[in-house]
Amino acid sequence: MIFEKDNWQEIFATIRKNKLRTALTMFGVFWGIFMLVIMLGAGSGLRHGVMQEFAGEGNNSFFIWAQTTSKPYKGMKSGRNYQFKNGDAIALKKIDELEVISPENQLGDYGNSNNVIRGLKVGNFEVLGEYPSITKIENIKLQSGRFINQNDIDEKRKVCVIGPRVVETLYSKTEQPIGSFIKINGVNFKVIGVNTPQGNGQRYMEGARKIRVPFTTFQNAFHMGDHITWFSLLAKKGIPASIAEEKAITVLKERHKIAPIDQQAVGHWNTEVQYNKMNGLFNGIDWLIWFVGSGTLIAGVIGVSNIMLIVVKERTKEIGVKRAIGATPISVISQIMVESLFLTSLAGLTGLGLGLLIIQLLNKNLPPSRDSMFANPTVDLTVIIGSLLILVISGTFAGLIPARKAVAINPVEALRYE
């Protein structure tokens, strides 16, 4: 029945007879599936761009720094400033939930730059004192050379790893940074590595301006004593970062006589929490896209169904003749439903193909940019399969009501119909 030549001749004859009506009917389905694909591709591009901001850090990492107390406690007034010390790092190592404890120091306040000199060239950059363990928390990749190692820490070597922005400012294109010296606050450091920052936008720009030196060298060269600016920490695998974070904050509050209820004294940032928030946001956006796109598609399918009702009405006499000469109800139903499924599938596949082509062209021609919050727009294979399934189901339902109406026609009355 589906593959009978006569049935398809009738379908194409109807389409040729009502070209404009057929085109407008198919456009509703085409537009619905086309917009669904475009919106899903755009949503994935936005997700990839934003999520790349987390590319440089482990999703179970967190960071803790000292702030000003807001509650009096054990004879200590509120509004008190305090500093983390080397002893705090030792205390944190006793927390079983922590995999990595990496103390860090920063020259000047957060976001401040420092004059760095090489010959006659001067630049302002962020200077950090770090341990080799930071590589387990932050995804640090090197263009050349090596990163800080334990011997650098133990021997307090005056060495550093610099970002690409430092290279651009202090070196010519033909100069090799590895093995050269730069001067930070009057202290000479030998360049042992050039790193490649991860992430996009502001995160990339910040990473490109960093100069990393051994933590022990930093404390000694810049007269920091045993001061620690902040802790970068990593929870053990399988343990939520929020649990390890809570225990770390409790230990630090006890050591510095901070009230347990003081929410201001210890600053903290949990990558796991922020990642889950962003992931939840984009999951919600995906559901909204499916809701809007499916609604548009359903509107198109309803249009197909209405047109098929008109077709059934126009062909009432023809259907009556068929029934009178012995056509079975299933043959009439299949005729109407095949026509409905054909129109829906043709329009939908065209919209799907055009949408995927645009997403592919956009993905191929999108210029790489570290400043962009939109990257790698794609449509998942499961989405394509799901869209095709929606088309088949929609086409079937679009023809179901008209087909039932066609079967319900009385052959005798149909023959009298004008």
Side-chain angles (χ1 to χ4, degrees):
M1 289 174 288
I2 295 178
F3 300 102
E4 287 182 2
K5 184 178 179 180
D6 290 343
N7 287 344
W8 285 101
Q9 287 177 340
E10 290 181 18
I11 291 174
F12 289 122
T14 303
I15 293 174
R16 286 193 298 270
K17 184 179 179 181
N18 302 282
K19 295 178 182 177
L20 180 60
R21 185 180 72 184
T22 302
L24 293 175
T25 302
M26 293 173 64
F27 181 78
V29 178
F30 161 84
W31 188 252
I33 199 73
F34 173 76
M35 288 306 300
L36 176 62
V37 172
I38 292 296
M39 288 190 295
L40 286 171
S44 72
L46 186 61
R47 179 194 286 265
H48 294 154
V50 173
M51 286 305 185
Q52 280 186 10
E53 289 295 297
F54 295 90
E57 297 173 356
N59 291 335
N60 60 335
S61 62
F62 58 99
F63 308 88
I64 297 177
W65 61 92
Q67 298 186 148
T68 304
T69 62
S70 62
K71 305 287 183 183
Y73 187 66
K74 291 186 177 181
M76 311 291 286
K77 295 182 179 180
S78 61
R80 173 172 55 94
N81 293 317
Y82 68 99
Q83 291 182 339
F84 292 144
K85 305 291 184 180
N86 290 344
D88 295 325
I90 297 173
L92 290 175
K93 290 180 180 179
K94 298 178 181 178
I95 299 176
D96 292 335
E97 288 79 4
L98 288 175
E99 178 73 24
V100 177
I101 299 97
S102 184
E104 296 201 47
N105 267 332
Q106 184 174 36
L107 199 58
D109 297 329
Y110 177 76
N112 281 2
S113 298
N114 302 270
N115 282 340
V116 179
I117 302 171
R118 179 177 179 268
L120 298 177
K121 296 183 178 181
V122 180
N124 293 317
F125 306 106
E126 184 179 356
V127 182
L128 302 174
E130 297 183 329
Y131 276 90
S133 57
I134 191 64
T135 57
K136 296 180 180 180
I137 299 174
E138 187 176 347
N139 184 18
I140 299 175
K141 294 184 179 180
L142 297 176
Q143 291 182 9
S144 57
R146 66 173 179 86
F147 195 66
I148 298 164
N149 60 32
Q150 191 58 44
N151 288 333
D152 298 327
I153 296 292
D154 295 339
E155 298 175 14
K156 300 180 182 179
R157 294 173 178 172
K158 292 184 176 67
V159 295
C160 66
V161 176
I162 60 178
R165 181 59 180 164
V166 183
V167 176
E168 292 172 8
T169 305
L170 301 182
Y171 296 85
S172 68
K173 292 183 178 180
T174 58
E175 289 181 305
Q176 171 58 252
I178 305 300
S180 65
F181 287 84
I182 59 176
K183 185 175 290 187
I184 307 172
N185 276 18
V187 181
N188 286 314
F189 286 84
K190 183 179 180 180
V191 177
I192 59 171
V194 178
N195 72 287
T196 302
Q198 303 301 299
N200 283 337
Q202 185 64 27
R203 184 176 184 82
Y204 175 86
M205 295 303 297
E206 289 178 356
R209 298 177 61 254
K210 287 181 178 179
I211 298 176
R212 307 168 189 266
V213 306
F215 184 86
T216 51
T217 307
F218 186 102
Q219 286 186 326
N220 184 60
F222 303 125
H223 311 292
M224 298 290 290
D226 65 346
H227 169 66
I228 294 174
T229 305
W230 76 82
F231 287 102
S232 296
L233 305 114
L234 184 71
K236 288 183 178 178
K237 189 175 181 179
I239 297 176
S242 54
I243 293 177
E245 179 185 39
E246 184 178 350
K247 292 193 174 185
I249 291 174
T250 298
V251 168
L252 293 171
K253 282 183 175 181
E254 289 175 353
R255 288 182 55 82
H256 293 275
K257 297 182 180 180
I258 298 171
I261 61 172
D262 192 339
Q263 300 299 316
Q264 177 182 302
V266 181
H268 53 98
W269 168 273
N270 190 319
T271 305
E272 178 188 53
V273 171
Q274 302 304 321
Y275 180 86
N276 289 337
K277 284 182 180 179
M278 293 305 300
N279 206 37
L281 173 63
F282 283 110
N283 286 339
I285 291 175
D286 286 345
W287 279 107
L288 179 62
I289 289 172
W290 272 105
F291 178 78
V292 174
S294 298
T296 306
L297 180 60
I298 289 171
V301 170
I302 291 173
V304 173
S305 183
N306 288 334
I307 292 301
M308 292 309 301
L309 284 171
I310 295 174
V311 170
V312 169
K313 187 175 181 180
E314 290 176 345
R315 294 165 60 182
T316 298
K317 193 168 185 177
E318 175 190 331
I319 293 172
V321 171
K322 284 186 175 182
R323 294 295 307 280
I325 61 177
T328 61
I330 191 66
S331 65
V332 175
I333 290 175
S334 65
Q335 172 73 28
I336 301 301
M337 293 193 69
V338 165
E339 184 172 345
S340 171
L341 186 59
F342 173 72
L343 293 177
T344 305
S345 299
L346 180 61
L349 288 173
T350 303
L352 178 63
L354 183 59
L356 290 174
L357 177 62
I358 291 176
I359 293 297
Q360 186 65 26
L361 290 174
L362 181 62
N363 194 9
K364 185 177 180 179
N365 296 293
L366 192 67
S369 173
R370 291 291 185 177
D371 297 324
S372 176
M373 298 299 288
F374 187 86
N376 189 29
T378 56
V379 179
D380 193 81
L381 179 61
T382 55
V383 172
I384 298 175
I385 295 174
S387 300
L388 294 175
L389 185 61
I390 289 174
L391 283 177
V392 174
I393 295 174
S394 299
T396 303
F397 276 98
L400 185 59
I401 295 176
R404 291 181 62 185
K405 186 172 180 63
V407 171
I409 294 175
N410 186 294
V412 177
E413 293 179 359
L415 290 172
R416 296 174 181 172
Y417 182 81
E418 294 295 338

